[in-house]
């Protein structure tokens, strides 16, 4: 196993020679080589430490020793496909079921959020016998062909919009159609979905699914307005479709107060299908689809086996169980609630001093800082956001990145062990950088206008 | 981590309650619970040992200690996405490149053979700017929506054949269009692809790819006739398409004499895209697409990032490297050649004594035993094959399974450490079972006619 066999320049040269260039690097002008990590910290080949504010995959912290221990023990004992009986998969499904509303009680284990979303789409179409899908604007649901079709973020740059895909407005109360001054943005945005359904029906087409992240991530770290999902689910059910909640980025307690982000919409709301992925295996390729007895039954009724070679194997499920154990034992949801609230508070304070901060939003350790060149027009400060990301890396060795249609939302989705001190540090550094930029010649935000 | 928490009945009951029934069990009437494995042996909850003739995923043997050691060490050190530089991915790509013809020198790492085939299809369509795909009859390329579309084995039972998918005859010289008595079946089968291309062109459509397993597996453990792939590649290239070799089942030395099964077609043949998966991580979710500079370049030229969350992470690549090391250190290709030849020879001897054995074929540890009720008509002995599988499990604790359009091909694709003694045992047991069946009232083969 290589640890640091090559110099960074050699690694980069080999990468350019051997790996498809569509696979991009962070900080492409001067990428970072990481050889070790622990908790919320990354270490480069010189032992220099980086604070990691973006690895939501390494959910309970990088290289958590108890996950490694469980994985190694199970790898030594057995790894086999699920055509044989094994306790780990059923025990893991049972644990996941306990975290979900009762009706979400049937599980399919797969290897990635993309595989989960592809299967969710199959389940929805098989159950409803309808084809059409409603997605949110700017959504991203994965890299597979079927998911590019339902991801405006991708299909606009690639194959274009299919006739069976319909794009609803992003329920973004800062930048969207209905904003913070609207008396009931949840209902208003839900009505845009209703209108879209009517339009679809008028073409003689039928809805299989409304497919959305519980908190749209690539869309710009969006917090759905209250009431939205319940109303949308009503409209979608009336049309004979199902509600798919993509929890690939947001599940497993990231929002702190709840285990699943869809639960923020209240007890009255329950999706028909939930997909999960990234944080599930703390870096191990593990993902899942949860659904109802009825939907699973319709899928079984087609008489065709669903076999996923690696999905649900004893090692993956042992790791999944160990991740759940760590979330509980280390009370990481409480930490996410506490540190996330602190981070949001500090950023909100910063907003009072820096006009460029248009909006601070978030819940738990899912936080966005939206930069604008003009608070009135809310024109995105894309270049400033990129410069903040760059300077945080170069000056402070802090990794953040941007999201949103204009890449002007600095996002925070760190490992769940992120601390109060980490939050203090990153906000202090952002404060300094924005101050520097405001007083220097580098008033990049002007160029954004 | 659960080892044997529940009784087999409890595990089964939980599975029925919690896991989608489309996920099927082997031996569904009386499934096997496995709690431990090593090398080519599985152990149930009572410590009873099963000989495993089918786990091609656990390629270098179940729970190989050196793989576990490497995995645990890397898990303890770093697991991160490939937007950061790391040596493992580039070193692994370099090792894979050394096993392939020079022109296959660009790699994309993913989590499953299905993800690899989906990406291969994207690459082919992007590069050629054509849509249509030619596949072999009875082929299976994965569980994703895009792959069901190009898998006759699945789409015939599900969504049906799309207008952009075209099915060429399976080049099966035992049961197919051209048989062992044909002077040049390779050319003759290749001509069926040429005819199909002409037909596609006559409809004003264009070929993006010919997509085939190097040795069709679900199709019935088929050995392609010599010359076939070279000729097909010529025709496909003339039509502006690319040749995709699906090595998900067959790569990494299973055929013994060569590292990749496509190499059996001679040095003159080189695919444009190769997909790999199952054996690659010895059970860890790891897969890959290898292609040319030109095809990767066209994919980059669309300007859109390809990001696979877990693909190519340091743990997956460390495991991949460790698997390559074990294949070399333990000379597993030589073992596959030797034991595979021995197994084939024993089965061929058996054929002289049992009329029900219509055909024995294979190369290395990829072997098929085709059962027929009538050697002249070659009518498939499906029920007998199922009974052989059942009795091997119940009487001898040997796991084999069946493949082929009529499920009458008993297949062998064991871990590569499978021994001469293992081969002797399984053939002795098959001999006994077929003898029993021939002399008992249970002459199931009659019912097959």
């Amino acid at each position: 196993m290589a640890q640091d066999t090559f110099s960074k320049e050699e690694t980069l040269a080999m990468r350019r020679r051997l790996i498809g260039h569509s696979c991009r690097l962070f900080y492409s002008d001067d990428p970072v080589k990481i050889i070790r990590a622990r908790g919320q910290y990354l270490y480069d080949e010189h032992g220099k430490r980086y604070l990691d504010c973006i690895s939501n995959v390494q959910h309970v912290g990088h290289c958590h020793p108890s996950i490694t221990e469980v994985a190694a023990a199970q790898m030594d004992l057995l790894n086999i496909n699920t055509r044989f009986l094994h306790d780990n998969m059923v025990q893991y499904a049972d644990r996941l079921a306990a975290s979900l509303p009762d009706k979400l009680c049937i599980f399919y284990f797969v290897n990635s959020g993309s595989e989960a979303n592809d299967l969710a789409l199959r389940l929805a179409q098989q159950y409803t016998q309808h084809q059409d899908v409603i997605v949110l604007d700017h959504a991203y649901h994965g890299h597979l062909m079927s998911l590019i079709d339902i991801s405006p973020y991708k299909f606009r740059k690639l194959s274009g919009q299919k006739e069976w895909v319909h794009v609803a407005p992003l329920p973004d109360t800062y930048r969207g159609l209905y904003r913070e001054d609207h008396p009931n943005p949840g209902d208003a945005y839900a009505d845009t979905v209703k209108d879209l359904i009517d339009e679809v029906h008028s073409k003689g087409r039928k809805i299989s699914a409304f497919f959305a992240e519980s908190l749209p991530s690539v869309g710009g770290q969006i917090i759905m307005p209250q009431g939205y999902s319940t109303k949308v689910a009503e409209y979608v059910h009336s049309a004979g479709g199902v509600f798919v909640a993509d929890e690939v980025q947001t599940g497993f307690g990231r929002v702190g107060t709840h285990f699943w982000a869809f639960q923020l919409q209240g007890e009255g709301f329950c999706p028909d299908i939930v997909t999960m992925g990234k944080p599930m295996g703390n870096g191990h390729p593990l993902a899942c689809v949860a659904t109802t007895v009825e939907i699973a039954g319709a899928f079984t009724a087609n008489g065709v086996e669903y076999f996923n070679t690696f999905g649900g194997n004893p090692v993956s499920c042992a790791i999944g169980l160990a991740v759940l154990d760590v979330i509980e034992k280390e009370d990481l949801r409480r930490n996410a609630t506490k540190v996330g609230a602190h981070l949001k508070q500090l950023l909100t304070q910063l907003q009072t001093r820096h006009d460029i901060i248009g909006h601070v939003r978030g819940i738990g350790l899912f936080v966005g800082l939206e930069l604008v060149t003009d608070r009135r027009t809310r024109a995105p400060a894309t270049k400033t956001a990129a410069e903040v990301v760059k300077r945080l890396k170069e000056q402070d060795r802090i990794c953040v990145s941007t999201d949103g249609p204009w890449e002007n939302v600095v996002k925070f989705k760190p490992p769940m062990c992120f601390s109060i001190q980490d939050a203090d540090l990153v906000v202090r550094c952002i404060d300094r950088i924005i101050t520097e930029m405001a007083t220097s010649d580098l008033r990049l935000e002007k160029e954004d206008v």
Side-chain angles (χ1 to χ4, degrees), chain A:
Chain A
M1 172 192 51
Q3 293 183 22
D4 192 32
T5 310
F6 311 116
S7 73
K8 181 169 142 182
E9 291 65 35
E10 286 170 323
T11 308
L12 185 57
M14 285 178 78
R15 175 155 170 150
R16 287 195 172 130
R17 175 165 61 81
L18 290 160
I19 305 297
H21 293 184
S22 304
C23 305
R24 296 201 189 143
L25 285 159
F26 275 135
Y27 316 116
S28 54
D29 292 343
D30 181 24
V32 176
K33 183 173 183 180
I34 296 298
I35 65 162
R36 189 162 71 81
R38 190 65 72 156
Q40 63 273 48
Y41 303 111
L42 311 173
Y43 300 87
D44 73 9
E45 75 280 19
H46 306 296
K48 283 188 186 151
R49 192 180 95 171
Y50 289 75
L51 174 62
D52 183 354
C53 304
I54 47 176
S55 291
N56 56 340
V57 168
Q58 281 72 29
H59 190 60
V60 302
H62 288 272
C63 303
H64 196 292
S66 78
I67 312 282
T68 304
E69 193 186 328
V70 164
Q74 185 61 54
M75 280 189 79
D76 189 52
L77 201 60
L78 178 69
N79 194 4
I80 200 164
N81 70 57
T82 59
R83 283 171 174 156
F84 294 93
L85 285 172
H86 195 272
D87 286 347
N88 287 7
M89 180 170 69
V90 298
Q91 199 168 18
Y92 188 35
D94 205 39
R95 285 279 291 277
L96 291 171
S99 75
L100 287 161
D102 288 348
K103 80 169 203 185
L104 293 166
C105 60
I106 307 287
F107 298 85
Y108 300 87
F109 291 101
V110 299
N111 308 297
S112 66
S114 288
E115 285 193 355
N117 281 337
D118 183 273
L119 178 57
L121 194 52
R122 280 184 71 188
L123 288 168
Q125 292 184 337
Q126 177 77 37
Y127 173 69
T128 63
Q129 294 290 310
H130 300 168
Q131 185 187 16
D132 289 26
V133 175
I134 296 177
V135 293
L136 294 179
D137 207 358
H138 310 297
Y140 177 58
H141 294 292
H143 56 71
L144 298 168
M145 296 181 83
S146 61
L147 304 177
I148 291 170
D149 281 347
I150 63 164
S151 297
Y153 168 70
K154 289 284 179 190
F155 73 60
R156 293 223 172 97
K157 305 174 197 163
L158 290 166
S159 46
Q161 187 166 350
K162 296 285 198 313
E163 74 287 358
W164 55 274
V165 177
H166 313 281
V167 180
L170 188 62
D172 172 354
T173 53
Y174 177 69
R175 182 176 290 288
L177 216 50
Y178 308 111
R179 301 187 174 180
E180 63 286 345
D181 57 351
H182 191 283
N184 192 340
D187 277 11
Y189 277 113
D191 283 343
T192 66
V193 176
K194 184 175 181 296
D195 294 344
L196 198 53
I197 292 172
D198 290 343
E199 200 185 308
V200 171
H201 285 173
S202 75
K203 292 179 191 159
R205 310 190 62 94
K206 287 177 174 172
I207 301 293
S208 69
F210 174 82
F211 214 110
E213 286 183 279
S214 297
L215 301 172
S217 306
V218 169
Q221 306 283 103
I222 305 300
I223 313 296
M224 301 266 201
Q226 279 303 310
Y228 177 72
S229 300
T230 309
K231 274 270 186 226
V232 168
E234 273 172 34
Y235 297 141
V236 171
H237 289 155
S238 294
V242 300
F243 192 116
V244 183
D246 177 340
E247 289 270 350
V248 170
Q249 299 254 14
T250 55
F252 294 87
R254 174 151 299 278
V255 300
T257 50
H258 299 78
F259 200 83
W260 303 104
F262 74 77
Q263 293 170 324
L264 294 167
Q265 291 279 315
E267 295 218 345
F269 171 64
C270 178
D272 305 294
I273 300 177
V274 170
T275 61
M276 35 191 103
K278 291 186 190 293
M280 195 169 186
N282 214 48
H284 185 85
L286 170 57
C288 182
V289 179
T291 192
T292 65
V293 169
E294 293 72 26
I295 293 173
F299 194 56
T300 306
N302 71 26
V304 175
E305 180 181 11
Y306 177 77
F307 178 63
N308 188 304
T309 298
F310 307 123
N313 71 68
V315 173
S316 293
C317 291
I319 290 173
L321 282 163
V323 170
L324 295 181
D325 287 342
V326 174
I327 293 171
E328 285 170 23
K329 276 187 204 152
E330 301 187 3
D331 210 355
L332 291 176
R333 278 173 55 195
R334 202 164 71 100
N335 190 64
T337 305
K338 184 184 68 178
V339 177
H342 181 69
L343 175 62
K344 226 175 92 175
Q345 192 196 3
L346 293 179
L347 292 171
T348 306
Q349 285 166 9
L350 218 57
Q351 192 182 17
T352 62
R353 295 192 288 108
H354 296 294
D355 283 350
I356 197 147
I357 300 180
H359 195 222
V360 175
R361 58 181 169 262
I363 174 132
L365 283 170
F366 181 93
V367 173
L369 175 73
E370 178 146 8
L371 304 186
V372 294
T373 57
D374 181 327
R375 284 193 179 178
R376 199 183 44 80
T377 65
R378 303 186 178 182
T382 303
K383 287 177 185 167
T384 304
E387 187 66 19
V388 168
V389 169
K390 186 171 177 240
R391 291 192 188 191
L392 277 173
K393 175 242 184 185
E394 287 178 359
Q395 300 175 1
D396 305 292
R397 293 201 291 274
I398 295 174
C399 298
V400 298
S401 64
T402 56
D403 249 334
W406 290 273
E407 293 292 344
N408 67 319
V409 181
V410 179
K411 69 177 166 187
F412 302 85
K413 41 178 194 171
M416 298 272 284
C417 50
F418 202 73
S419 72
I420 294 283
Q421 293 73 31
D422 298 326
D424 289 342
L425 175 67
V426 68
V427 176
R428 203 162 59 235
C429 294
I430 289 173
D431 187 13
R432 194 202 67 238
I433 288 168
I434 293 179
T435 307
E436 272 168 23
M437 289 176 69
T439 54
S440 78
D441 291 332
L442 261 170
R443 296 182 64 94
L444 278 171
E445 62 273 29
K446 294 291 180 201
E447 300 171 40
D448 278 318
V449 183

